[in-house]
Amino acid sequence: MRRSTTLLFTSGLVAGTIGSTTIDAQPRPTVTPADYAQWEMPGAPRLSPRGDWTAIPMTRMNDSSEVRLIGGPRDTTIIIPFAMPATFSPAGGWVGMLVGISTAERERLTREKKPVRNSVQLRHLGTGQVITETDVNAFAFSANGRFVTLTRYPQEGKPVSDVLVYDLTRGTRLTFPSVRDQAWADGTGAGATGALLALAIDGDGPSGYSVQLYDAAANTLRVLENGAVPYRALAWRRRAADLAVLRGVVDKAWRDTAHVLVTWRDVTGNATSRVLDPATMNGFPARMRIAEHRRPTWSRDGQVMFFGLRPRLAAADAIKKSADKVSDVEIWHTNDVRMFPQQKAQEAQDLRSTLLTAWHQGDDRIVQIGTDLEEQAAALENGRWATEIDRKPYPWEWKFGRNVQDVWAVNLETGARTKVLQRVRHYYGGDPTGTKLAWSDGRDYWVVDLASGTRTNLTGALTRGGKADFVDHDDDHPTDIPHIFPIVAWSKTGDALLVNDTHDVWRLAVNGGGNTRLTNGARDQVVHRLVNFAPFGASVVERAVDLEAPLYFTLTGRLSKQSGYARRAGDGTVQRLMLVDAGHSTLVKADSADIFAFTRQRYDTSPNVFVGDDPATAKAVTATNPQQAKYAWGKAELMNFRSTIGVPLQALLYYPANYDPAKKYPLIVYTYERLSQGLHGYIAPNDRNYYNATVFSQQGYFVLMPDIVFRPREPGIGTKYAVEPAVRAVIARGLVDPARVGHVGHSQGGYEAAYLATHSNLFQTTIVGSGITDMISFAGQLHWSQGTAEFDHWETGQFRMQVAPWEDTKAMIDNSPLARVHQMQAKSMLIEIGSDDGTVDPRQGSLFYNYARRAGKQVVMLTYPGEGHGLTKRENQRDYQTRILEWFGHYLKGEPAPRWITEGQTALERRAILDANK
């Protein structure tokens, strides 16, 4: 369980090395808060199907946003303010996007308790025609791209909306009122038109509810079924004109809603239907209902339907209302695998969980797959097998972060259940044929054939012979089963598994035959990772890789931090397309053309989007932040050093803007865990990103971010081993004044800041953001937002303490900031907490503050009411950054201290400020 820190890198791209940059002899003006609004940052690009247009979301530091459309025969740029990521029609002729409103307008409507609603804009990329509709919540193109549905916001208090269907060719519009559910067929077999829309409509009267089929191309509407109860959960079969829906059942004997499952084969023809009715089906599980929370799905051949069951709630079993007021007591029991707060946090999920079940339509027979509502069940490809996870045999492990499980296979023809895997942690699921499962034991990768039960070790010969090592040795969290690189994908035919080692991608033959290393990154310590162009959430079949086709890889130098791309041809030849001192995003590819897009950046070069038919020759289509040239800008340097115990490590060193070698500067150290991979992240100046290295650089600071690696039971000691030699290395170069070194960190970094403040003499001052300060109390606390115990975080997570506190009390004391609060060596500390922090209990901050106050130490605590682990309100983000700069300005640069630092601020004074600004 990792606690994310507030990002220093607003772009989110972290691959790539920076060489030294030329720093002008003539000083330029530095960037001030008044200048921040000029900066913009591009989001992930999207390509039209033919790659002739690129849609780029763009955000600015003044809280505005837009979508930028770039392309066409004239290389046109179109800007749509406040738009959200664009969606291209399947044929590529149109693009659509939801369009919001400004932050100021949103805040005004919220204050006035008025609804905040989006509109939609549809734009023809050839003619420039624009269609706009207000009050639209969602939109979807038909498979042929000629039609689009626009869904208005739900009617007040009802689960239905008006749906508009536009014919984009003719410019006509049709409205369907009171639509509960809708779904376009995918068009790759569901009729020649590619424009079949299924609608579940709520009407009036005894038979007003209906399932209707609208053929948009023919402009015909057909009622497939109607009745007196609602329909929901429409589901098309892929590449077919087969449709399924759930029809409600009214029965006052039960408190819940049951359903029958209705399917139609070939809705464009005779539309023959079948019905699964639990009330009339022999062998249907007693006291079970077909639940609405799982949308039905089809097997690929259409012979099996999958749906979800839940136990029925009888009206007679309803809890009787007590005549007395009932206590709201919570009963926490030691046998609870999921603690009571976790159950509360997951209540909505629990109420929607179902037991996966298969319906064989041919012989009207069902096979129940799921047996436990708290476990996960999955249907494998081709409808022959399914699996269910079983965690029940391992309650202790799941309580305390050693997550292991058994896996049961269910034969969907016979219903037979077989335990095929036992006590596995690294489980990866089924292959594209639906006949095999893959997993790892922490050293080797295995597959099991479900029909025969045969297990095959795919890598035993490699690992035993020392030819390959698939353990992730960079992951230093304590574990009884080694961390291993996850499976990348299956081959398209299911005959091979693709996996990573430290540098390369391997093809593993599932029959145990030959294994092939597809890349050769180990030679130059360049990490190769396969680019999978399948969309997010794609099935195992869609993610399967055609090994005969060209494959693309991202490249990252493990030590150099260079990045780029490589291509492997069908004959096995790997060509390095680029590997340069810059950071690159993953590749995006057009659906029906070999056109690629990616983002490139460096710390000193604003991120821009590149597009082309080859990544090596792609051209920039954006030129963001040209104003940067007017201002002073620092540089980022990759620094090598050794930890106190001799481990080779790296650090990032950011130079101050207008750096003068004749001066010695103050230094701000920022820590988390490993940060050197962010070398090429462009950091736009921003007053909402309060730990902002560019802002610090503009204020005249060096900024150091050293990597930290850990050994078990040494989270604080390991921090000191890594950070102190990095700081000393910078001091030894004569760059900084050793008397003006400060430290800041958040979350786990906040713990590191608190530890070094009490255990190191290198820091004049430190800032602890939402950090852990007391090892003794923290081990037994909760991660309140998830409702989970901290012991997994304590023993096998970020704290890496490996054992329970009482098994090594010395290690607990040695790594606790609070244990040395009375000997705090930093001369001052600023603590920040959110009063509603559900990740790190805010009492960790108040506890240290109270101890430090008793010990006579100079500590100030900022408490932001209603805020969580990271500040979300703009005014609080800006306030915190301002106070950070004032704090470091006073303690590291000798600037006059604001009154809040020297004297604080009374509650009445704060109230007066708030009242005056209502």
Side-chain angles (χ1 to χ4, degrees), residues 871-899:
L871 304 179
T872 58
K873 298 177 182 177
R874 288 184 302 157
E875 61 270 24
N876 288 340
Q877 294 167 335
R878 291 165 177 165
D879 179 87
Y880 184 32
Q881 187 187 81
T882 298
R883 295 184 191 277
I884 288 172
L885 296 177
E886 290 176 344
W887 186 270
F888 280 143
H890 174 62
Y891 285 106
L892 299 184
K893 295 200 292 188
E895 296 172 353
R899 184 170 175 268

PDB file of all heavy atoms in Angstrom, residues 871-899:
ATOM      1  N   LEU A 871      -3.841  18.599  -0.229  1.00  0.00           N
ATOM      2  CA  LEU A 871      -4.765  19.725  -0.238  1.00  0.00           C
ATOM      3  C   LEU A 871      -5.448  19.817  -1.603  1.00  0.00           C
ATOM      4  O   LEU A 871      -4.789  19.715  -2.642  1.00  0.00           O
ATOM      5  CB  LEU A 871      -4.013  21.024   0.068  1.00  0.00           C
ATOM      6  CG  LEU A 871      -3.218  21.031   1.380  1.00  0.00           C
ATOM      7  CD1 LEU A 871      -2.500  22.359   1.561  1.00  0.00           C
ATOM      8  CD2 LEU A 871      -4.125  20.740   2.572  1.00  0.00           C
ATOM      9  N   THR A 872      -6.744  20.019  -1.599  1.00  0.00           N
ATOM     10  CA  THR A 872      -7.508  20.053  -2.847  1.00  0.00           C
ATOM     11  C   THR A 872      -8.105  21.423  -3.150  1.00  0.00           C
ATOM     12  O   THR A 872      -8.378  21.730  -4.307  1.00  0.00           O
ATOM     13  CB  THR A 872      -8.645  19.019  -2.817  1.00  0.00           C
ATOM     14  OG1 THR A 872      -9.497  19.295  -1.684  1.00  0.00           O
ATOM     15  CG2 THR A 872      -8.087  17.603  -2.686  1.00  0.00           C
ATOM     16  N   LYS A 873      -8.327  22.246  -2.132  1.00  0.00           N
ATOM     17  CA  LYS A 873      -8.888  23.567  -2.369  1.00  0.00           C
ATOM     18  C   LYS A 873      -7.793  24.496  -2.889  1.00  0.00           C
ATOM     19  O   LYS A 873      -6.686  24.528  -2.350  1.00  0.00           O
ATOM     20  CB  LYS A 873      -9.490  24.133  -1.084  1.00  0.00           C
ATOM     21  CG  LYS A 873     -10.648  23.314  -0.531  1.00  0.00           C
ATOM     22  CD  LYS A 873     -11.140  23.910   0.783  1.00  0.00           C
ATOM     23  CE  LYS A 873     -12.263  23.070   1.387  1.00  0.00           C
ATOM     24  NZ  LYS A 873     -12.700  23.614   2.702  1.00  0.00           N
ATOM     25  N   ARG A 874      -8.119  25.239  -3.936  1.00  0.00           N
ATOM     26  CA  ARG A 874      -7.122  26.120  -4.539  1.00  0.00           C
ATOM     27  C   ARG A 874      -6.546  27.092  -3.523  1.00  0.00           C
ATOM     28  O   ARG A 874      -5.337  27.325  -3.483  1.00  0.00           O
ATOM     29  CB  ARG A 874      -7.738  26.895  -5.697  1.00  0.00           C
ATOM     30  CG  ARG A 874      -8.015  26.061  -6.932  1.00  0.00           C
ATOM     31  CD  ARG A 874      -8.527  26.932  -8.060  1.00  0.00           C
ATOM     32  NE  ARG A 874      -9.733  27.653  -7.671  1.00  0.00           N
ATOM     33  CZ  ARG A 874     -10.151  28.784  -8.237  1.00  0.00           C
ATOM     34  NH1 ARG A 874      -9.450  29.327  -9.210  1.00  0.00           N
ATOM     35  NH2 ARG A 874     -11.265  29.367  -7.843  1.00  0.00           N
ATOM     36  N   GLU A 875      -7.415  27.654  -2.680  1.00  0.00           N
ATOM     37  CA  GLU A 875      -6.935  28.647  -1.731  1.00  0.00           C
ATOM     38  C   GLU A 875      -5.977  28.035  -0.707  1.00  0.00           C
ATOM     39  O   GLU A 875      -5.027  28.680  -0.259  1.00  0.00           O
ATOM     40  CB  GLU A 875      -8.110  29.328  -1.022  1.00  0.00           C
ATOM     41  CG  GLU A 875      -9.000  28.391  -0.196  1.00  0.00           C
ATOM     42  CD  GLU A 875     -10.143  27.794  -0.992  1.00  0.00           C
ATOM     43  OE1 GLU A 875     -10.019  27.710  -2.236  1.00  0.00           O
ATOM     44  OE2 GLU A 875     -11.155  27.423  -0.369  1.00  0.00           O
ATOM     45  N   ASN A 876      -6.206  26.765  -0.369  1.00  0.00           N
ATOM     46  CA  ASN A 876      -5.307  26.111   0.587  1.00  0.00           C
ATOM     47  C   ASN A 876      -3.988  25.711  -0.072  1.00  0.00           C
ATOM     48  O   ASN A 876      -2.921  25.785   0.555  1.00  0.00           O
ATOM     49  CB  ASN A 876      -5.984  24.887   1.188  1.00  0.00           C
ATOM     50  CG  ASN A 876      -7.080  25.258   2.168  1.00  0.00           C
ATOM     51  OD1 ASN A 876      -7.107  26.379   2.689  1.00  0.00           O
ATOM     52  ND2 ASN A 876      -7.996  24.335   2.412  1.00  0.00           N
ATOM     53  N   GLN A 877      -4.056  25.258  -1.315  1.00  0.00           N
ATOM     54  CA  GLN A 877      -2.822  24.923  -2.025  1.00  0.00           C
ATOM     55  C   GLN A 877      -1.920  26.146  -2.140  1.00  0.00           C
ATOM     56  O   GLN A 877      -0.706  26.069  -1.895  1.00  0.00           O
ATOM     57  CB  GLN A 877      -3.165  24.384  -3.421  1.00  0.00           C
ATOM     58  CG  GLN A 877      -3.899  23.057  -3.399  1.00  0.00           C
ATOM     59  CD  GLN A 877      -4.500  22.712  -4.749  1.00  0.00           C
ATOM     60  OE1 GLN A 877      -4.781  23.592  -5.569  1.00  0.00           O
ATOM     61  NE2 GLN A 877      -4.707  21.427  -4.992  1.00  0.00           N
ATOM     62  N   ARG A 878      -2.500  27.267  -2.497  1.00  0.00           N
ATOM     63  CA  ARG A 878      -1.714  28.493  -2.654  1.00  0.00           C
ATOM     64  C   ARG A 878      -1.226  29.005  -1.307  1.00  0.00           C
ATOM     65  O   ARG A 878      -0.096  29.506  -1.198  1.00  0.00           O
ATOM     66  CB  ARG A 878      -2.559  29.543  -3.373  1.00  0.00           C
ATOM     67  CG  ARG A 878      -2.809  29.170  -4.832  1.00  0.00           C
ATOM     68  CD  ARG A 878      -3.916  29.978  -5.469  1.00  0.00           C
ATOM     69  NE  ARG A 878      -4.053  29.627  -6.884  1.00  0.00           N
ATOM     70  CZ  ARG A 878      -5.097  29.932  -7.629  1.00  0.00           C
ATOM     71  NH1 ARG A 878      -6.115  30.597  -7.101  1.00  0.00           N
ATOM     72  NH2 ARG A 878      -5.136  29.589  -8.911  1.00  0.00           N
ATOM     73  N   ASP A 879      -2.058  28.891  -0.301  1.00  0.00           N
ATOM     74  CA  ASP A 879      -1.643  29.331   1.031  1.00  0.00           C
ATOM     75  C   ASP A 879      -0.449  28.517   1.519  1.00  0.00           C
ATOM     76  O   ASP A 879       0.531  29.080   2.031  1.00  0.00           O
ATOM     77  CB  ASP A 879      -2.812  29.180   2.009  1.00  0.00           C
ATOM     78  CG  ASP A 879      -2.446  29.589   3.422  1.00  0.00           C
ATOM     79  OD1 ASP A 879      -2.571  30.784   3.736  1.00  0.00           O
ATOM     80  OD2 ASP A 879      -2.012  28.717   4.211  1.00  0.00           O
ATOM     81  N   TYR A 880      -0.513  27.197   1.342  1.00  0.00           N
ATOM     82  CA  TYR A 880       0.566  26.337   1.820  1.00  0.00           C
ATOM     83  C   TYR A 880       1.863  26.633   1.069  1.00  0.00           C
ATOM     84  O   TYR A 880       2.940  26.736   1.678  1.00  0.00           O
ATOM     85  CB  TYR A 880       0.154  24.875   1.667  1.00  0.00           C
ATOM     86  CG  TYR A 880       1.153  23.875   2.225  1.00  0.00           C
ATOM     87  CD1 TYR A 880       1.937  24.161   3.333  1.00  0.00           C
ATOM     88  CD2 TYR A 880       1.290  22.618   1.631  1.00  0.00           C
ATOM     89  CE1 TYR A 880       2.841  23.221   3.847  1.00  0.00           C
ATOM     90  CE2 TYR A 880       2.184  21.681   2.126  1.00  0.00           C
ATOM     91  CZ  TYR A 880       2.956  21.991   3.231  1.00  0.00           C
ATOM     92  OH  TYR A 880       3.852  21.075   3.726  1.00  0.00           O
ATOM     93  N   GLN A 881       1.794  26.809  -0.253  1.00  0.00           N
ATOM     94  CA  GLN A 881       3.029  27.118  -0.977  1.00  0.00           C
ATOM     95  C   GLN A 881       3.616  28.446  -0.512  1.00  0.00           C
ATOM     96  O   GLN A 881       4.835  28.572  -0.332  1.00  0.00           O
ATOM     97  CB  GLN A 881       2.795  27.159  -2.481  1.00  0.00           C
ATOM     98  CG  GLN A 881       4.108  27.315  -3.250  1.00  0.00           C
ATOM     99  CD  GLN A 881       3.918  27.516  -4.723  1.00  0.00           C
ATOM    100  OE1 GLN A 881       3.630  28.629  -5.160  1.00  0.00           O
ATOM    101  NE2 GLN A 881       4.097  26.457  -5.501  1.00  0.00           N
ATOM    102  N   THR A 882       2.756  29.429  -0.301  1.00  0.00           N
ATOM    103  CA  THR A 882       3.246  30.727   0.180  1.00  0.00           C
ATOM    104  C   THR A 882       3.960  30.579   1.512  1.00  0.00           C
ATOM    105  O   THR A 882       5.039  31.157   1.727  1.00  0.00           O
ATOM    106  CB  THR A 882       2.081  31.717   0.304  1.00  0.00           C
ATOM    107  OG1 THR A 882       1.503  31.933  -0.982  1.00  0.00           O
ATOM    108  CG2 THR A 882       2.558  33.056   0.863  1.00  0.00           C
ATOM    109  N   ARG A 883       3.386  29.791   2.400  1.00  0.00           N
ATOM    110  CA  ARG A 883       3.997  29.626   3.733  1.00  0.00           C
ATOM    111  C   ARG A 883       5.290  28.813   3.647  1.00  0.00           C
ATOM    112  O   ARG A 883       6.236  29.061   4.406  1.00  0.00           O
ATOM    113  CB  ARG A 883       2.988  28.994   4.690  1.00  0.00           C
ATOM    114  CG  ARG A 883       1.788  29.890   4.954  1.00  0.00           C
ATOM    115  CD  ARG A 883       0.830  29.323   5.975  1.00  0.00           C
ATOM    116  NE  ARG A 883      -0.414  30.077   5.989  1.00  0.00           N
ATOM    117  CZ  ARG A 883      -0.609  31.224   6.653  1.00  0.00           C
ATOM    118  NH1 ARG A 883       0.382  31.750   7.354  1.00  0.00           N
ATOM    119  NH2 ARG A 883      -1.774  31.837   6.612  1.00  0.00           N
ATOM    120  N   ILE A 884       5.351  27.843   2.732  1.00  0.00           N
ATOM    121  CA  ILE A 884       6.608  27.109   2.533  1.00  0.00           C
ATOM    122  C   ILE A 884       7.712  28.076   2.117  1.00  0.00           C
ATOM    123  O   ILE A 884       8.832  28.051   2.651  1.00  0.00           O
ATOM    124  CB  ILE A 884       6.416  26.013   1.466  1.00  0.00           C
ATOM    125  CG1 ILE A 884       5.560  24.875   2.014  1.00  0.00           C
ATOM    126  CG2 ILE A 884       7.774  25.464   1.009  1.00  0.00           C
ATOM    127  CD1 ILE A 884       5.174  23.841   0.961  1.00  0.00           C
ATOM    128  N   LEU A 885       7.400  28.951   1.154  1.00  0.00           N
ATOM    129  CA  LEU A 885       8.404  29.898   0.666  1.00  0.00           C
ATOM    130  C   LEU A 885       8.783  30.898   1.749  1.00  0.00           C
ATOM    131  O   LEU A 885       9.967  31.291   1.858  1.00  0.00           O
ATOM    132  CB  LEU A 885       7.883  30.607  -0.579  1.00  0.00           C
ATOM    133  CG  LEU A 885       7.622  29.707  -1.803  1.00  0.00           C
ATOM    134  CD1 LEU A 885       7.034  30.530  -2.953  1.00  0.00           C
ATOM    135  CD2 LEU A 885       8.894  29.009  -2.253  1.00  0.00           C
ATOM    136  N   GLU A 886       7.832  31.322   2.526  1.00  0.00           N
ATOM    137  CA  GLU A 886       8.148  32.243   3.626  1.00  0.00           C
ATOM    138  C   GLU A 886       8.988  31.552   4.691  1.00  0.00           C
ATOM    139  O   GLU A 886       9.928  32.149   5.244  1.00  0.00           O
ATOM    140  CB  GLU A 886       6.858  32.786   4.239  1.00  0.00           C
ATOM    141  CG  GLU A 886       6.114  33.756   3.325  1.00  0.00           C
ATOM    142  CD  GLU A 886       4.787  34.217   3.881  1.00  0.00           C
ATOM    143  OE1 GLU A 886       4.269  33.574   4.835  1.00  0.00           O
ATOM    144  OE2 GLU A 886       4.249  35.219   3.367  1.00  0.00           O
ATOM    145  N   TRP A 887       8.704  30.294   4.959  1.00  0.00           N
ATOM    146  CA  TRP A 887       9.451  29.544   5.970  1.00  0.00           C
ATOM    147  C   TRP A 887      10.902  29.350   5.540  1.00  0.00           C
ATOM    148  O   TRP A 887      11.841  29.680   6.282  1.00  0.00           O
ATOM    149  CB  TRP A 887       8.775  28.197   6.201  1.00  0.00           C
ATOM    150  CG  TRP A 887       9.358  27.383   7.316  1.00  0.00           C
ATOM    151  CD1 TRP A 887      10.366  26.482   7.225  1.00  0.00           C
ATOM    152  CD2 TRP A 887       8.970  27.416   8.687  1.00  0.00           C
ATOM    153  NE1 TRP A 887      10.638  25.925   8.454  1.00  0.00           N
ATOM    154  CE2 TRP A 887       9.778  26.480   9.372  1.00  0.00           C
ATOM    155  CE3 TRP A 887       8.007  28.115   9.400  1.00  0.00           C
ATOM    156  CZ2 TRP A 887       9.671  26.253  10.734  1.00  0.00           C
ATOM    157  CZ3 TRP A 887       7.889  27.882  10.767  1.00  0.00           C
ATOM    158  CH2 TRP A 887       8.712  26.960  11.418  1.00  0.00           C
ATOM    159  N   PHE A 888      11.084  28.815   4.329  1.00  0.00           N
ATOM    160  CA  PHE A 888      12.449  28.631   3.843  1.00  0.00           C
ATOM    161  C   PHE A 888      13.136  29.986   3.630  1.00  0.00           C
ATOM    162  O   PHE A 888      14.352  30.116   3.836  1.00  0.00           O
ATOM    163  CB  PHE A 888      12.437  27.837   2.533  1.00  0.00           C
ATOM    164  CG  PHE A 888      12.290  26.352   2.716  1.00  0.00           C
ATOM    165  CD1 PHE A 888      11.546  25.597   1.822  1.00  0.00           C
ATOM    166  CD2 PHE A 888      12.892  25.688   3.782  1.00  0.00           C
ATOM    167  CE1 PHE A 888      11.411  24.225   1.973  1.00  0.00           C
ATOM    168  CE2 PHE A 888      12.762  24.308   3.952  1.00  0.00           C
ATOM    169  CZ  PHE A 888      12.016  23.590   3.043  1.00  0.00           C
ATOM    170  N   GLY A 889      12.375  30.995   3.187  1.00  0.00           N
ATOM    171  CA  GLY A 889      12.968  32.311   2.982  1.00  0.00           C
ATOM    172  C   GLY A 889      13.563  32.868   4.266  1.00  0.00           C
ATOM    173  O   GLY A 889      14.636  33.489   4.251  1.00  0.00           O
ATOM    174  N   HIS A 890      12.870  32.631   5.362  1.00  0.00           N
ATOM    175  CA  HIS A 890      13.380  33.128   6.638  1.00  0.00           C
ATOM    176  C   HIS A 890      14.542  32.284   7.148  1.00  0.00           C
ATOM    177  O   HIS A 890      15.609  32.824   7.489  1.00  0.00           O
ATOM    178  CB  HIS A 890      12.253  33.142   7.674  1.00  0.00           C
ATOM    179  CG  HIS A 890      12.722  33.504   9.055  1.00  0.00           C
ATOM    180  ND1 HIS A 890      13.286  34.734   9.351  1.00  0.00           N
ATOM    181  CD2 HIS A 890      12.731  32.783  10.216  1.00  0.00           C
ATOM    182  CE1 HIS A 890      13.610  34.765  10.637  1.00  0.00           C
ATOM    183  NE2 HIS A 890      13.289  33.596  11.177  1.00  0.00           N
ATOM    184  N   TYR A 891      14.376  30.958   7.175  1.00  0.00           N
ATOM    185  CA  TYR A 891      15.379  30.114   7.823  1.00  0.00           C
ATOM    186  C   TYR A 891      16.577  29.777   6.933  1.00  0.00           C
ATOM    187  O   TYR A 891      17.647  29.417   7.450  1.00  0.00           O
ATOM    188  CB  TYR A 891      14.721  28.822   8.320  1.00  0.00           C
ATOM    189  CG  TYR A 891      13.882  29.036   9.555  1.00  0.00           C
ATOM    190  CD1 TYR A 891      12.498  29.026   9.492  1.00  0.00           C
ATOM    191  CD2 TYR A 891      14.478  29.285  10.785  1.00  0.00           C
ATOM    192  CE1 TYR A 891      11.724  29.240  10.616  1.00  0.00           C
ATOM    193  CE2 TYR A 891      13.721  29.509  11.923  1.00  0.00           C
ATOM    194  CZ  TYR A 891      12.346  29.483  11.837  1.00  0.00           C
ATOM    195  OH  TYR A 891      11.587  29.704  12.961  1.00  0.00           O
ATOM    196  N   LEU A 892      16.414  29.878   5.603  1.00  0.00           N
ATOM    197  CA  LEU A 892      17.532  29.543   4.725  1.00  0.00           C
ATOM    198  C   LEU A 892      18.123  30.759   4.020  1.00  0.00           C
ATOM    199  O   LEU A 892      19.273  30.705   3.572  1.00  0.00           O
ATOM    200  CB  LEU A 892      17.091  28.523   3.668  1.00  0.00           C
ATOM    201  CG  LEU A 892      16.588  27.174   4.175  1.00  0.00           C
ATOM    202  CD1 LEU A 892      16.292  26.236   3.008  1.00  0.00           C
ATOM    203  CD2 LEU A 892      17.587  26.528   5.135  1.00  0.00           C
ATOM    204  N   LYS A 893      17.351  31.842   3.906  1.00  0.00           N
ATOM    205  CA  LYS A 893      17.869  33.029   3.217  1.00  0.00           C
ATOM    206  C   LYS A 893      17.933  34.254   4.115  1.00  0.00           C
ATOM    207  O   LYS A 893      18.380  35.316   3.668  1.00  0.00           O
ATOM    208  CB  LYS A 893      17.013  33.335   1.984  1.00  0.00           C
ATOM    209  CG  LYS A 893      17.093  32.249   0.911  1.00  0.00           C
ATOM    210  CD  LYS A 893      16.660  32.717  -0.466  1.00  0.00           C
ATOM    211  CE  LYS A 893      15.203  33.024  -0.556  1.00  0.00           C
ATOM    212  NZ  LYS A 893      14.754  33.306  -1.949  1.00  0.00           N
ATOM    213  N   GLY A 894      17.473  34.121   5.344  1.00  0.00           N
ATOM    214  CA  GLY A 894      17.562  35.237   6.278  1.00  0.00           C
ATOM    215  C   GLY A 894      16.572  36.337   6.028  1.00  0.00           C
ATOM    216  O   GLY A 894      16.753  37.473   6.520  1.00  0.00           O
ATOM    217  N   GLU A 895      15.492  36.060   5.308  1.00  0.00           N
ATOM    218  CA  GLU A 895      14.484  37.076   5.062  1.00  0.00           C
ATOM    219  C   GLU A 895      13.683  37.336   6.335  1.00  0.00           C
ATOM    220  O   GLU A 895      13.569  36.452   7.201  1.00  0.00           O
ATOM    221  CB  GLU A 895      13.551  36.620   3.928  1.00  0.00           C
ATOM    222  CG  GLU A 895      14.252  36.464   2.590  1.00  0.00           C
ATOM    223  CD  GLU A 895      13.359  35.837   1.525  1.00  0.00           C
ATOM    224  OE1 GLU A 895      12.250  35.404   1.877  1.00  0.00           O
ATOM    225  OE2 GLU A 895      13.775  35.785   0.350  1.00  0.00           O
ATOM    226  N   PRO A 896      13.139  38.534   6.479  1.00  0.00           N
ATOM    227  CA  PRO A 896      12.343  38.819   7.684  1.00  0.00           C
ATOM    228  C   PRO A 896      11.198  37.821   7.838  1.00  0.00           C
ATOM    229  O   PRO A 896      10.535  37.463   6.855  1.00  0.00           O
ATOM    230  CB  PRO A 896      11.811  40.237   7.430  1.00  0.00           C
ATOM    231  CG  PRO A 896      12.772  40.824   6.445  1.00  0.00           C
ATOM    232  CD  PRO A 896      13.230  39.689   5.579  1.00  0.00           C
ATOM    233  N   ALA A 897      10.961  37.382   9.041  1.00  0.00           N
ATOM    234  CA  ALA A 897       9.934  36.376   9.299  1.00  0.00           C
ATOM    235  C   ALA A 897       8.562  37.012   9.398  1.00  0.00           C
ATOM    236  O   ALA A 897       8.382  37.990  10.131  1.00  0.00           O
ATOM    237  CB  ALA A 897      10.242  35.618  10.582  1.00  0.00           C
ATOM    238  N   PRO A 898       7.582  36.506   8.672  1.00  0.00           N
ATOM    239  CA  PRO A 898       6.210  36.972   8.897  1.00  0.00           C
ATOM    240  C   PRO A 898       5.785  36.677  10.336  1.00  0.00           C
ATOM    241  O   PRO A 898       6.310  35.788  10.997  1.00  0.00           O
ATOM    242  CB  PRO A 898       5.398  36.150   7.892  1.00  0.00           C
ATOM    243  CG  PRO A 898       6.378  35.654   6.891  1.00  0.00           C
ATOM    244  CD  PRO A 898       7.674  35.485   7.629  1.00  0.00           C
ATOM    245  N   ARG A 899       4.787  37.397  10.761  1.00  0.00           N
ATOM    246  CA  ARG A 899       4.349  37.283  12.148  1.00  0.00           C
ATOM    247  C   ARG A 899       3.871  35.879  12.488  1.00  0.00           C
ATOM    248  O   ARG A 899       4.052  35.395  13.605  1.00  0.00           O
ATOM    249  CB  ARG A 899       3.233  38.301  12.412  1.00  0.00           C
ATOM    250  CG  ARG A 899       2.757  38.353  13.858  1.00  0.00           C
ATOM    251  CD  ARG A 899       1.830  39.554  14.062  1.00  0.00           C
ATOM    252  NE  ARG A 899       1.276  39.553  15.409  1.00  0.00           N
ATOM    253  CZ  ARG A 899       0.115  38.979  15.750  1.00  0.00           C
ATOM    254  NH1 ARG A 899      -0.594  38.362  14.799  1.00  0.00           N
ATOM    255  NH2 ARG A 899      -0.332  39.029  16.989  1.00  0.00           N
TER     256      ARG A 899
END
